[in-house]
Amino acid sequence: MSKTPLYWLAGVLTIIGSLFFGYKWMYMGYPLVPGTSADIWQVEVKLSFNAANEPIKVGLYVPGNNRKFTLLDENFISRGFGLSTVRENGNRRAIWSVRTANGSQALYYRTTAEQFDSGSGGDTVRVMPEVMDHEFQGAEFEVAKNILQSAQQQSADLDTLVAQLVKRANDPADDDIALLLKGDTSVENRIRITARLLALAYVPARMMHGLYMVERRGDAPLEPWLEVFDEKNWRPFDPVTGQTGVADNYLVFWRGDDSLVSIDGAENVQTRISLQKLELEAVEAAAARRHYLSPVLEGMSLSSLPLATQNVYKILLLIPIGAFLLVIMRNVIGIKTFGTFMPVLIALSFRETQLLWGITLFCIVVTLGLSIRFALDRLKLLLVPRLTAVLTIVVLLMMIISIITNHFGIESGLSIALFPMVIITMTIERMSIVWDERGANDAIKQGLGSLLCAALAYLLMSNSHVSHLFTVFPELLLILLAATLLLGRYTGYRLLELSRFKALLDPVK
Amino acid sequence: MRSLLATARKLREAGVLAINARNCEYTLAYNPRRLYPLVDDKLRTKEIMLQAGLRVPELYGVVEIEHQISELTAFLSKYDDFVIKPAQGTGGDGIIVVTGRVGGMYRKASGNLMSEQEMAHHVSSTLSGLYSLGGHNDKAIVESRVIFDPVFEKISFQGVPDIRIIIFLGVPVMAMVRLPTRASDGKANLHQGAIGAGIDIATGKTMTAVWHNNVIDRHPDTHYPITDIQVPHWDELLEISTRCHELIGLGYFGVDLVLDKDEGPMILELNARPGLNIQIANRRGLLHRLEHIKKHAAKLRDPASRIAFAKEEIASML
């Protein structure tokens, strides 16, 4: 029989599984290991103002997704106002408007932003930006030209030129600069002058505004920054030191000379920005992120289910892993077990009892059940009544063990109630049959084999890395399925067969 | 690890067939599922064999429903010795051989006694599927006990020795005789402690014998030599076995036969998943032989040519 279709199927399954896995891991940032907490902040902008029965239009620059931050969700809270968001020159702007309003009003913008570990470098730009008009005239023009020329003489490239210009723009003793600043010594104005000087040198430059994401801040100040275009992309420069780059926790709000808020028809405008770092599991963050990154995957994720259902699937998804281990134990190693999947179900119950207790309790229940089953044997009962009798006895045994252990203050004994009693009953029945038919040796061997498989399956299934991987990336089951299909045509020797057939290799005595 | 791989390689070279390969390459590939009921249900096998004129142990009766058990004692009283077995049993489980009576008790082949009540319970368990494949409801067959040919008398301890021949695409591949021992409690199953003695397909003479994976040449209980015994009616046994291939249609199976003192070869049952211990009994792997047959199967059209092929080419293969 040809194995080619099998290899194709396994290959396709592996590729599909890996693609989904890779996409979610690399692009959507789902973590491979559990417990990674993401850097997530909640940012809130509060606008308050007094309205005077006039039409009001409020514009607020809001952040957008960029290489360093992704917005996980956004809320605009504005009672009675109409809202629209627009894109202008690469900036996002929320515009609230209302026909009439009276008294003090408050508008809120709230967003949750997650920080990425991204490499340095700015956003790549396809179209070369225009150089703005430097607007220097008369004496100012001459001064500006002088400043630029001396800066150009003392610099070798764009970085050093910007550094020189920034250094001069921040020099309080520099009279030339003072002339250009016209008394406004704010950082914004210094950046504006630097940008205009760069425009004089035909280098596009602009100001950007953003926030430093710190642990918690009630009234966070907007920090202006300088951005210079260097033939390929925009690069940030510190407006005070002239060094390139910007801190990783800098969330850009908007670019340009405008102020954060523009408002028509209201007075006494107050702006307050607060931010707070959230403790959020990385998985939840990635789940929230998929909303923005991939609407296609949104409906397909486990986390779109209700929490209770999710918890059920967290366990269900582990069962194929245990079953796969059984495939290996049975078909590759050659260990005999009672019932095909019995060890997996026992392993599931070990999750509640913990391993040592689980094995101890399992042995106690099976041993007691088995001895009672042998006693029942003399009564010559029919099969189904006999099974029912054993089941009843198993339940009673479990109850008695729970009561006794509880009496001695051992808490784990209570969890025995979670043992799958039907499985235990069937195990006892099969074991007693094998005992009768093949002898105690075979029965105990198979019993221990089952227990060994159950213990290994438990260790595998309770491993936090394994369970994390399969609940976050259920598509890995496709790869597991491919491996199972391949093992389904494994025609090699089982490990334990090697010793069984070894006698064939010995020379005849 | 390295020595394990080396062992695996050596076994592969020796042509040892293992369980995964048997399932994948032979039983799954050559035995269509729909044919399994023909061999899994011994009653149907018996019917087919009788129709074809092959000898089987005489059927005394069938217990099909629980209610019939109340009439069992009266029914069995007609027979001094008989065999009760589940119609769909596996691996010899649930078979009781009654050789006679002591008072109101049945005497089993092992010499142990069994009360009528115990017998009724055993039949009831059989009906509920205790011994059947997958635990399905089953029937209990009552049939004549085979009085086996005296040739094996001195080399078997209680129980009935039987002959297993593996047939692949109608060609006999390997054969052995299974001899019960004291340790096997009269059962003819190798892993229960019966002796397996390989039979040379060409001549029908026993060769090596294996007991608990040890090579032996004398029966551990009777101390008579086991090797080099001519199995009577050998050609007939081969012929019957190859005919089963036509009758049932399975590609890879085992035939269990017994030699009755008076009536000669009889078919006990067929097995669509024959065990691998026959390789240990013969001290030969099955794989090379199976591959050789696969290569030449197309030209072996009639049973006679297949037997000739087996005797000439397969028997001598290592």
Side-chain angles (χ1 to χ4, degrees), chain A residues 1 3 330-332 373 377 379-384 386 429 433 436-438 442 487-495 497-509, chain B residues 4 7-8 10-12 14-21 23-25 66 90-91 93-94 118 121 124-125 128-131 187 191-192 208 213 215 276-277 279-280 283-284:
Chain A
M1 217 186 109
K3 287 188 182 181
R330 288 171 66 109
N331 281 32
V332 180
R373 162 71 177 77
D377 206 31
L379 301 177
K380 305 294 174 199
L381 302 176
L382 294 175
L383 183 71
V384 181
R386 186 172 67 224
E429 180 65 20
I433 290 170
D436 278 348
E437 299 266 328
R438 306 265 155 89
D442 272 28
L487 276 178
R489 293 285 298 178
Y490 168 71
T491 56
Y493 297 105
R494 296 176 183 178
L495 201 58
E497 271 179 336
L498 293 179
S499 65
R500 173 187 171 189
F501 289 122
K502 220 171 177 175
L504 273 168
L505 294 175
D506 303 336
V508 183
K509 282 162 238 162
Chain B
L4 286 178
T7 310
K10 273 190 228 154
L11 286 175
R12 184 88 204 169
V16 174
L17 181 69
I19 191 104
N20 287 337
N23 291 344
C24 262
E25 315 268 356
E66 199 75 24
T90 51
D93 290 345
E118 280 170 322
H121 176 70
S124 164
S125 300
S128 0
L130 186 56
Y131 307 107
K187 287 180 180 170
H191 71 262
Q192 289 173 341
T208 53
N213 271 358
V215 178
L276 300 163
N277 278 329
Q279 301 178 104
I280 298 172
R283 301 190 57 74
R284 300 265 189 282

Side-chain angles (χ1 to χ4, degrees), chain B residues 138-152:
Chain B
D138 202 0
K139 292 172 268 193
I141 301 175
V142 186
E143 60 180 24
S144 67
R145 179 171 76 97
V146 173
I147 311 297
F148 63 86
D149 196 284
V151 68
F152 296 128

Side-chain angles (χ1 to χ4, degrees), chain A residues 151-406:
Chain A
Q152 275 170 332
Q153 273 164 11
Q154 290 169 37
S155 60
D157 55 7
L158 186 66
D159 283 14
T160 44
L161 175 67
V162 174
Q164 281 297 326
L165 289 174
V166 168
K167 195 174 138 197
R168 289 204 61 174
N170 283 289
D171 188 351
D174 192 319
D175 292 338
D176 290 350
I177 287 294
L179 178 76
L180 297 181
L181 287 175
K182 287 179 184 156
D184 182 356
T185 55
S186 67
V187 183
E188 280 91 343
N189 201 32
R190 291 183 198 278
I191 294 172
R192 217 169 281 137
I193 295 300
T194 314
R196 284 168 68 191
L197 287 169
L198 282 164
L200 198 60
Y202 301 105
V203 176
R206 66 187 179 187
M207 184 166 22
M208 65 174 171
H209 307 261
L211 287 176
Y212 285 114
M213 293 296 170
V214 290
E215 203 68 33
R216 174 191 284 269
R217 187 106 195 225
D219 191 3
L222 280 164
E223 306 278 351
W225 213 255
L226 175 67
E227 260 193 326
V228 179
F229 192 79
D230 76 341
E231 291 172 359
K232 280 200 290 294
N233 47 38
W234 289 99
R235 285 176 41 213
F237 284 85
D238 188 316
V240 178
T241 65
Q243 280 174 335
T244 61
V246 67
D248 274 340
N249 64 342
Y250 185 79
L251 171 64
V252 179
F253 262 59
W254 81 102
R255 295 181 167 90
D257 282 353
D258 294 351
S259 56
L260 176 66
V261 184
S262 65
I263 197 154
D264 294 332
E267 50 196 16
N268 204 5
V269 182
Q270 281 180 355
T271 316
R272 188 185 156 93
I273 305 175
S274 55
L275 55 92
Q276 183 186 354
K277 189 168 182 180
L278 299 178
E279 295 301 326
L280 208 60
E281 281 280 303
V283 181
E284 293 170 45
R289 196 182 304 132
R290 70 157 195 256
H291 179 76
Y292 290 89
L293 290 180
S294 168
V296 186
L297 274 181
E298 191 180 353
M300 290 171 57
S301 170
L302 199 58
S303 46
S304 63
L305 290 173
L307 205 61
T309 320
Q310 272 186 48
N311 285 334
V312 171
Y313 273 98
K314 272 184 186 165
I315 294 172
L316 288 188
L317 285 171
L318 292 177
I319 293 179
I321 303 166
F324 181 74
L325 180 80
L326 270 183
V327 169
I328 293 176
M329 296 300 277
R330 288 171 66 109
N331 281 32
V332 180
I333 296 177
I335 290 175
K336 282 185 180 167
T337 61
F338 287 114
T340 316
F341 294 123
M342 177 278 234
V344 181
L345 297 169
I346 297 292
L348 276 182
S349 64
F350 284 173
R351 280 164 55 89
E352 307 296 333
T353 56
Q354 299 309 314
L355 189 59
L356 276 182
W357 256 111
I359 291 178
T360 315
L361 294 173
F362 179 82
C363 289
I364 292 173
V365 174
V366 169
T367 311
L368 288 175
L370 205 55
S371 39
I372 291 171
R373 162 71 177 77
F374 280 128
L376 278 181
D377 206 31
R378 300 186 182 180
L379 301 177
K380 305 294 174 199
L381 302 176
L382 294 175
L383 183 71
V384 181
R386 186 172 67 224
L387 286 178
T388 311
V390 175
L391 176 69
T392 312
I393 288 162
V394 166
V395 172
L396 285 173
L397 278 176
M398 281 162 53
M399 189 191 76
I400 290 168
I401 290 175
S402 286
I403 291 173
I404 291 175
T405 47
N406 185 47

